[in-house]
Amino acid sequence: MSTAVVPFRQDQKPEAEAPPHNADVEQALLGALMVWPGALEKLPADMSAEHFFFADHQEIFSVIQRLAAAGAQPTAPAVKGYLPKAEIGGQPAMSYLAHLGTNAGVGVSVPGYAAIVMDFAQRRRLAAIGEELTLRARHDPIDESGMLAASLIEDVEAELLAARRPEQDDEATSFDAGAGADWMLDRIEQIQAGNIKGSSVPSGIADLDRATNGGFQRGQLWLLAARPGMGKTVAMTSLSRFAARHDGAMVFQLEVTKDQQIARYLADLSYVHNRPMTFGQIMAGKVDEEEKWRLQDARKRLGRLNLKVDCRDGITVAQIVLAVKAEKKRMAARGVSLGTVFIDYLKFIKVSDRYKGQRVLEIGEITGALKQLAKREDICVVLLTQLSRQTENQQRESKRPTLADLRDSGELEQDADTVLFLYREAYYLKGKLDAAKDAESKAKLSDQLFEQQHDLEVILGKNRSGPTTTLNLWCDVSASSIAQSARGPQ
């Protein structure tokens, strides 16, 4: 047998195939829409003329939609009067429309036909993405970063995400007022009977749960905002492990390294009131035998949590969405419901080139996408963000943050359902103590610092689920721990 390599020849390539489509189903659907009154109401709300493969079918569908919107029955004669062409497919337009009516599907088949037409439209888009990827992978010049393949992958991820239809139907998104009220009352009964879970995930902080009507609300975008040094990552560490005791939690740690975040979880879980271990101490390995035992116990407790941590660098919104969807499926296979997703923090989320250099629009793109992610996946997304420097203004009497201090964009306040500000007076007392000159001032400030070193204010600047108020909590920043009140012996 010959082993010679047969060179590839251009004429060996198969003839180009037509993009995926189904002409018979398109015709049956259009015929049904013209024959059966009310058939148009059975279509998915997001169906459009562009889902049809043939241009003539797109025109027919558009006319049917306009006639129905005007209150007219879209019969074949009515449709024919508004078509721009006298002929379709080489025959008179009226003959073609009559043919569609003769071969129309029954009214109950409309949703199924529509699903097939939209599926083929999605397949065409996927084929186009694949073809574009092939061409770019073969011919695109190297980019400024020298990482063409990585750039291509990010672009394709974004395209695939955009091509994905929301997995929902009209029954889930639209309703009659009375039917909606009946659904809600039945849902309350089901929650009280323990048959379904509520819409919130407990935060582990009793006061926060009371103020937000249960904790992290599914379908919402939360902001956790503060100036540097206030404890954003500390709060995220404790809150994410609290949330993971009830439902699944996922953390995108974009700021600190993997070892630092693990050390923070271990410091929090191994906390002892009279001998806490700092995460820096754990990072350096400066622990004795008793502390090693505590770390082993903390490791077991950490392992029992439904917690996934992703520490990759420079992640895009598309990558976050795809990772959340994949982890949600993995957790569901274990009987766990993903409830919360924490992202630390906004600054390190990569954005597309669409609004390059326009930070306000870039942030709007990020928060808008995360808001939709929360709604579609029925989770609470908690996004950490930094406040503007105006809180440090020397002329400003109170350093406590407000909504006006959200950095870069009003989109943050607009898209967020709940905004939590962190404030520690001890941070500013430490600065004043370091700057103090006379012994009396130093002594007074030192006493104040000692009294308030573990005080943490959580200010609810915006709260769709309850009042805007201030919660007084306990924290130990060095041990990466927050709590409702001072943590005593375990």
Side-chain angles (χ1 to χ4, degrees), residues 205 207 400 455-458 470-474 483-485:
I205 305 295
D207 284 352
R400 288 174 176 80
D455 291 352
L456 171 66
E457 293 181 28
V458 176
T470 297
L471 313 178
N472 295 304
L473 307 182
W474 173 94
Q484 176 70 51
S485 56

Side-chain angles (χ1 to χ4, degrees), residues 411-448:
E411 299 289 342
L412 287 170
E413 178 184 348
Q414 176 179 308
D415 289 338
D417 296 284
T418 299
V419 180
L420 305 179
F421 296 114
L422 302 183
Y423 176 80
R424 292 193 306 117
E425 181 66 22
Y427 176 85
Y428 295 103
L429 287 173
K430 178 66 166 59
K432 292 177 181 178
L433 178 61
D434 293 340
K437 302 299 183 181
D438 61 283
E440 183 179 350
S441 296
K442 283 182 175 291
K444 183 178 179 180
L445 289 168
S446 181
D447 289 342
Q448 288 180 308

Side-chain angles (χ1 to χ4, degrees), residues 49-111:
E50 286 69 28
H51 286 110
F52 290 84
F53 175 67
F54 297 97
D56 291 329
H57 290 172
Q58 293 179 4
E59 291 177 351
I60 293 170
F61 183 78
S62 295
V63 172
I64 290 173
Q65 281 188 311
R66 291 197 295 270
L67 284 169
Q73 177 63 27
T75 60
V79 171
K80 189 264 179 187
Y82 291 95
L83 288 177
K85 294 181 179 180
E87 291 189 354
I88 298 177
Q91 58 181 305
M94 190 62 213
S95 297
Y96 187 77
L97 294 175
H99 168 74
L100 295 182
T102 303
N103 294 278
V106 296
V108 294
S109 299
V110 166

Side-chain angles (χ1 to χ4, degrees), residues 40-51:
L40 201 67
E41 299 173 2
K42 300 180 182 295
L43 294 178
D46 58 338
M47 189 171 194
S48 66
E50 286 69 28
H51 286 110

Side-chain angles (χ1 to χ4, degrees), residues 368-418:
L370 294 179
K371 173 87 168 187
Q372 291 303 309
L373 173 64
K375 291 179 64 177
R376 290 174 179 172
E377 298 304 320
D378 195 32
I379 58 176
C380 181
V381 176
V382 183
L383 176 64
L384 277 63
T385 187
Q386 189 166 299
L387 295 174
S388 66
R389 291 182 179 274
Q390 63 187 12
T391 58
E392 311 295 333
N393 191 321
Q394 296 299 320
Q395 305 302 318
R396 181 165 167 170
E397 184 176 344
S398 175
K399 307 297 184 183
R400 288 174 176 80
T402 67
L403 290 173
D405 297 317
L406 286 173
R407 189 172 185 174
D408 294 319
S409 174
E411 299 289 342
L412 287 170
E413 178 184 348
Q414 176 179 308
D415 289 338
D417 296 284
T418 299

Side-chain angles (χ1 to χ4, degrees), residues 119-430:
D119 180 68
F120 274 105
Q122 193 171 34
R123 287 168 181 255
R124 291 194 294 274
R125 186 168 183 180
L126 292 175
I129 292 171
E131 290 167 3
E132 182 183 6
L133 173 62
T134 300
L135 288 173
R136 290 186 60 188
R138 289 181 181 276
H139 303 297
D140 269 16
I142 195 166
D143 64 5
E144 295 178 357
S145 67
M147 298 294 287
L148 173 60
S151 176
L152 284 178
I153 290 171
E154 291 181 3
D155 290 347
V156 170
E157 285 175 336
E159 289 288 342
L160 289 173
L161 181 62
R164 186 186 183 102
R165 277 192 72 211
E167 296 175 356
Q168 58 189 26
D169 54 37
D170 291 345
E171 294 297 324
T173 58
S174 61
F175 52 85
D176 293 327
D182 290 341
W183 173 85
M184 178 54 72
L185 291 174
D186 180 66
R187 187 173 183 276
I188 292 172
E189 293 290 339
Q190 294 296 320
I191 292 173
Q192 292 179 342
N195 296 327
I196 62 174
K197 290 187 176 181
S199 61
S200 60
V201 178
S203 68
I205 305 295
D207 284 352
L208 182 58
D209 289 347
R210 279 190 287 270
T212 56
N213 199 27
F216 300 113
Q217 296 292 326
R218 291 177 179 271
Q220 290 191 354
L221 172 65
W222 286 31
L223 293 183
L224 184 61
R227 286 294 297 157
M230 290 294 153
K232 294 188 299 295
T233 301
V234 170
M236 186 276 295
T237 297
S238 288
L239 291 173
S240 62
R241 79 167 178 87
F242 290 152
R245 296 184 303 187
H246 300 275
D247 289 301
M250 191 172 186
V251 171
F252 290 93
Q253 180 47 270
L254 312 182
E255 181 181 26
V256 306
T257 58
K258 173 183 176 181
D259 53 351
Q260 290 180 24
Q261 185 58 56
I262 295 173
R264 289 177 186 276
Y265 279 122
L266 292 176
D268 185 17
L269 284 163
S270 63
Y271 188 88
V272 172
H273 76 292
N274 58 352
R275 198 185 173 195
M277 278 187 286
T278 68
F279 85 91
Q281 178 186 347
I282 296 172
M283 285 279 294
K286 296 180 179 179
V287 293
D288 58 28
E289 291 303 315
E290 186 269 340
E291 289 168 333
K292 284 183 182 179
W293 178 87
R294 284 163 52 193
L295 290 175
Q296 288 290 341
D297 180 67
R299 179 257 173 268
K300 292 178 183 177
R301 295 168 61 193
L302 186 61
R304 289 195 292 267
L305 298 177
N306 298 308
L307 180 64
K308 174 74 171 183
V309 183
D310 189 324
C311 294
R312 77 182 90 174
D313 294 328
I315 196 170
T316 64
V317 172
Q319 289 171 325
I320 289 173
V321 172
L322 293 172
V324 167
K325 289 177 180 291
E327 186 59 32
K328 184 180 180 182
K329 288 182 178 179
R330 282 193 287 267
M331 288 188 176
R334 305 197 310 267
V336 176
S337 172
L338 180 62
T340 50
V341 172
F342 297 81
I343 306 172
D344 187 7
Y345 70 100
L346 173 64
K347 175 183 175 181
F348 297 105
I349 299 177
K350 292 174 64 176
V351 294
S352 67
D353 292 334
R354 182 180 181 186
Y355 300 117
K356 193 171 184 178
Q358 304 177 71
R359 189 56 179 164
V360 170
L361 297 179
E362 287 178 342
I363 289 177
E365 181 180 79
I366 293 171
T367 56
L370 294 179
K371 173 87 168 187
Q372 291 303 309
L373 173 64
K375 291 179 64 177
R376 290 174 179 172
E377 298 304 320
D378 195 32
I379 58 176
C380 181
V381 176
V382 183
L383 176 64
L384 277 63
T385 187
Q386 189 166 299
L387 295 174
S388 66
R389 291 182 179 274
Q390 63 187 12
T391 58
E392 311 295 333
N393 191 321
Q394 296 299 320
Q395 305 302 318
R396 181 165 167 170
E397 184 176 344
S398 175
K399 307 297 184 183
R400 288 174 176 80
T402 67
L403 290 173
D405 297 317
L406 286 173
R407 189 172 185 174
D408 294 319
S409 174
E411 299 289 342
L412 287 170
E413 178 184 348
Q414 176 179 308
D415 289 338
D417 296 284
T418 299
V419 180
L420 305 179
F421 296 114
L422 302 183
Y423 176 80
R424 292 193 306 117
E425 181 66 22
Y427 176 85
Y428 295 103
L429 287 173
K430 178 66 166 59

